[in-house]
Amino acid sequence: MPQVLAGVLIFCLGLIAMVGFIPLLADYTYPIVWWGLLLVVDAWNIRHRGLSIWRRHLPHFLLVTIPMSVLFWLLFELMNLPAPQWRYKGGVDSLHAEVLFGFIAFATVIPIMVESYWLVAGEFCLPQAFAAPFRKHRIFSILLGLVFAAIPFFNHVFWFNQGIWLAPALVLLPFAEIRPCAHPRRFAAGLILSGGMAGFFWELFNYWARTHWEYLILPGAPHLFQMPLPGYVGFIPFALTSLVVYEHQLRVSTRIVTGALLYSGSVAVLYMLTTVYQQRGLWVVK
């Protein structure tokens, strides 16, 4: 299958560069490896699940999903600023190159989480018993999400800031138009398995990449790669949030104007946050 072959070649190119055999690409290996792996996993999901994040509607993927993935992760970068939990380090020393690297890397966030969930659990759905309380208590859910997003701006205690991983989901779930399902256990297992799997490979590839993130939290805790072990729990609510955002962005119209606004907005915010990260020592050139 051409897609699998292309994915394997890109993945191997990234790995070869990661171990130092292609110096020109050494600082950019993280997104190269991921885009290669995504092609392979997507091909498996097409064959076994009948699901593809780009074959379903390629124009929508290019115009909406990619910049939405970037904007989605930049929201967490914004919430990371007041009480930093992570920073970036690498050999990319130009602002423009850092923005390009960030865009290509952050564009993988939603695709990784969606493809991971499809891989282990099939098409995403919400059990009625889970979704109903968010619709019934809409105002409370939205306010709780906004509070979780705001807490890091007033608090520097790590444990109290972990609601950020659920904040967007709490705001969006009251308006969710996601297919219902009758298997709460499968839904929960899908989130746990996909979040854990995606988190493991995120941290694995990050650990070996020259340009990578490192954590500023729980220095005394045991670590697996860069991540303190308790931090892996956060990938489970992040999986839910990513999937809810993905389902919502499917409703955004696929128009050139929409895509232009999303791309220009994501690049502008990326430039702004990258500059702030540099000023605050959260992007370190080594």
Side-chain angles (χ1 to χ4, degrees), residues 73 75-88 148-149 151-153 155-166 203 206 213-219 223 226-228 230-235 277 280-282:
W73 182 251
L75 175 62
F76 294 98
E77 298 288 1
L78 177 63
M79 290 187 285
N80 183 55
L81 273 175
Q85 299 183 42
W86 64 86
R87 67 178 180 181
Y88 295 94
F148 280 172
I151 286 176
F153 292 87
N155 164 75
H156 288 182
V157 179
F158 162 76
W159 297 106
F160 296 151
N161 291 337
Q162 299 317 297
I164 64 173
W165 307 114
L166 268 179
E203 298 300 331
N206 174 67
W213 64 83
E214 58 185 24
Y215 293 98
L216 307 174
I217 55 172
L218 305 179
H223 284 56
Q226 295 281 359
M227 171 68 88
Y232 282 89
V233 176
F235 288 114
Y277 266 54
R280 298 195 180 185
L282 296 177

Side-chain angles (χ1 to χ4, degrees), residues 171-205:
V171 173
L172 293 176
L173 276 169
F175 311 99
E177 296 180 7
I178 301 171
R179 63 204 61 79
C181 54
H183 303 289
R185 290 184 181 178
R186 183 176 180 180
F187 162 75
L191 290 179
I192 294 169
L193 290 173
S194 63
M197 180 176 65
F200 176 85
F201 284 103
W202 264 317
E203 298 300 331
L204 171 66
F205 296 145

Side-chain angles (χ1 to χ4, degrees), residues 99-137:
V99 168
L100 177 62
F101 174 88
F103 190 95
I104 298 172
F106 299 161
T108 66
V109 174
I110 285 179
I112 289 169
M113 202 62 258
V114 172
E115 295 280 7
S116 297
Y117 187 90
W118 288 349
L119 182 67
V120 301
E123 193 166 15
F124 183 60
C125 60
L126 286 177
Q128 182 64 22
F130 177 85
F134 295 100
R135 299 190 185 104
K136 183 178 180 181
H137 305 288

Side-chain angles (χ1 to χ4, degrees), residues 16 37 60 90 131 175 177 188 205 216 245 251 258 262 269:
I16 293 169
L37 186 57
H60 187 90
F175 311 99
E177 296 180 7
F205 296 145
L216 307 174
V245 169
R251 294 153 53 184
T258 303
L262 289 172
V269 174

Side-chain angles (χ1 to χ4, degrees), residues 25-169:
L25 298 178
D27 289 312
Y28 304 92
T29 56
Y30 175 83
I32 296 172
V33 168
W34 265 119
W35 280 111
L37 186 57
L38 277 169
L39 284 167
V40 175
V41 176
D42 185 77
W44 193 97
N45 283 332
I46 293 169
R47 182 178 180 86
H48 298 276
R49 305 292 194 189
L51 298 168
S52 172
I53 200 167
W54 43 69
R55 291 198 185 190
R56 174 182 289 184
H57 192 4
L58 182 59
H60 187 90
F61 176 77
L62 295 175
L63 290 173
V64 179
T65 304
I66 285 179
M68 282 292 291
S69 179
V70 176
L71 286 167
F72 171 63
W73 182 251
L74 289 177
L75 175 62
F76 294 98
E77 298 288 1
L78 177 63
M79 290 187 285
N80 183 55
L81 273 175
Q85 299 183 42
W86 64 86
R87 67 178 180 181
Y88 295 94
K89 182 180 288 187
V92 182
D93 58 359
S94 159
L95 174 62
H96 303 306
E98 288 170 6
V99 168
L100 177 62
F101 174 88
F103 190 95
I104 298 172
F106 299 161
T108 66
V109 174
I110 285 179
I112 289 169
M113 202 62 258
V114 172
E115 295 280 7
S116 297
Y117 187 90
W118 288 349
L119 182 67
V120 301
E123 193 166 15
F124 183 60
C125 60
L126 286 177
Q128 182 64 22
F130 177 85
F134 295 100
R135 299 190 185 104
K136 183 178 180 181
H137 305 288
R138 177 174 296 182
I139 300 300
F140 176 78
S141 181
I142 296 170
L143 289 176
L144 185 60
L146 294 175
V147 168
F148 280 172
I151 286 176
F153 292 87
F154 304 97
N155 164 75
H156 288 182
V157 179
F158 162 76
W159 297 106
F160 296 151
N161 291 337
Q162 299 317 297
I164 64 173
W165 307 114
L166 268 179

